[in-house]
Amino acid sequence: MTVVDDRIAMADANTECLDEWFKRLERMPVPEGFRVEIVEGNVHMTPQRDTHWAIIRRIVRSIEDRFGMDALVLSDVRIDFPGPENGFCPDVAKLRDGAEQDETGHWQYQDVEFVAEVISQGTAANDYGPKKLAYATAEVPLYLIADPYQGRCHIFTHPKDGDYTTETRVAFGQELDLTGTVLGLTLRTDTFPRD
């Protein structure tokens, strides 16, 4: 069994454990406007900032303009990914047409075509590190990091053996040419705010 196979097997085995974690977290007094997710067994709570939301909104709007309002696009919705206790809540996740929740009400990482994460200072290491590797292991074809601190987007494609083989960096203000990807669109970043 390869490392990638081990990570995928862990995703299935960890679902029950993650369900219990999230049930406990739902009973906690989490302040409104905070996102909670579990990355490699560690709970992270991050506040939604204006900058963060403005970028998410622009990405979702572009996807809806391309695929229509009925496209299955999620924000801050739990999806369990390969690896030890990875219950992520991506800023933006587009699922393939026809994707359905399983019998327990969970979306499946195998249906995820695109993920975008907008960097928060406190959790940036997760987005560039374990989450990137988990998305690659899950073979998500397109992973976008929008970093308002750097004023740059990182586009990761071609997942292979638990990592992405291609990274493209584009400064805010330039267009992201995603026409050759599963999204098949050009994403404008000239209105992405910076922190």
Side-chain angles (χ1 to χ4, degrees):
M1 209 177 230
T2 67
V3 171
V4 173
D5 292 333
D6 288 343
R7 287 182 186 166
I8 291 171
M10 279 187 221
D12 297 332
N14 287 324
T15 298
E16 282 185 38
C17 180
L18 287 167
D19 286 347
E20 184 58 35
W21 269 99
F22 278 103
K23 283 179 189 173
R24 289 180 185 178
L25 290 167
E26 287 173 5
R27 291 191 298 262
M28 290 177 57
V30 176
E32 191 161 330
F34 276 73
R35 175 175 83 160
V36 178
E37 64 183 350
I38 301 171
V39 179
E40 294 188 326
N42 297 304
V43 177
H44 296 271
M45 290 190 342
T46 52
Q48 184 76 277
R49 297 176 341 276
D50 293 348
T51 301
H52 197 93
W53 173 240
I55 294 171
I56 291 169
R57 201 169 130 250
R58 284 165 174 79
I59 293 169
V60 170
R61 178 66 185 267
S62 294
I63 294 170
E64 289 174 345
D65 286 350
R66 165 75 172 84
F67 294 96
M69 291 297 293
D70 292 329
L72 191 46
V73 181
L74 308 173
S75 181
D76 292 339
V77 174
R78 175 187 162 193
I79 302 172
D80 297 345
F81 282 90
E85 297 179 4
N86 283 329
F88 300 162
C89 301
D91 289 325
V92 180
K94 182 192 177 299
L95 279 60
R96 68 172 176 78
D97 290 344
E100 295 182 1
Q101 293 175 318
D102 67 15
E103 63 281 350
T104 64
H106 294 101
W107 294 104
Q108 302 299 300
Y109 72 84
Q110 295 91 337
D111 293 327
V112 178
E113 295 182 321
F114 166 72
V115 170
E117 297 285 7
V118 180
I119 294 298
S120 296
Q121 275 188 321
T123 58
N126 289 338
D127 295 330
Y128 285 111
K131 290 175 86 172
K132 181 178 95 96
L133 296 177
Y135 294 144
T137 299
E139 298 185 354
V140 174
L142 177 60
Y143 176 39
L144 169 68
I145 294 177
D147 191 329
Y149 301 98
Q150 294 179 359
R152 181 177 13 204
C153 290
H154 300 260
I155 305 159
F156 298 95
T157 57
H158 303 100
K160 183 177 180 183
D161 297 328
D163 204 353
Y164 286 97
T165 60
T166 305
E167 177 183 0
T168 306
R169 296 177 185 182
V170 178
F172 282 14
Q174 298 178 1
E175 290 186 342
L176 301 182
D177 181 4
L178 303 174
T179 55
T181 71
V182 293
L183 288 185
L185 59 81
T186 300
L187 181 62
R188 294 180 50 199
T189 66
D190 57 329
T191 59
F192 281 14
R194 293 185 65 153
D195 273 336

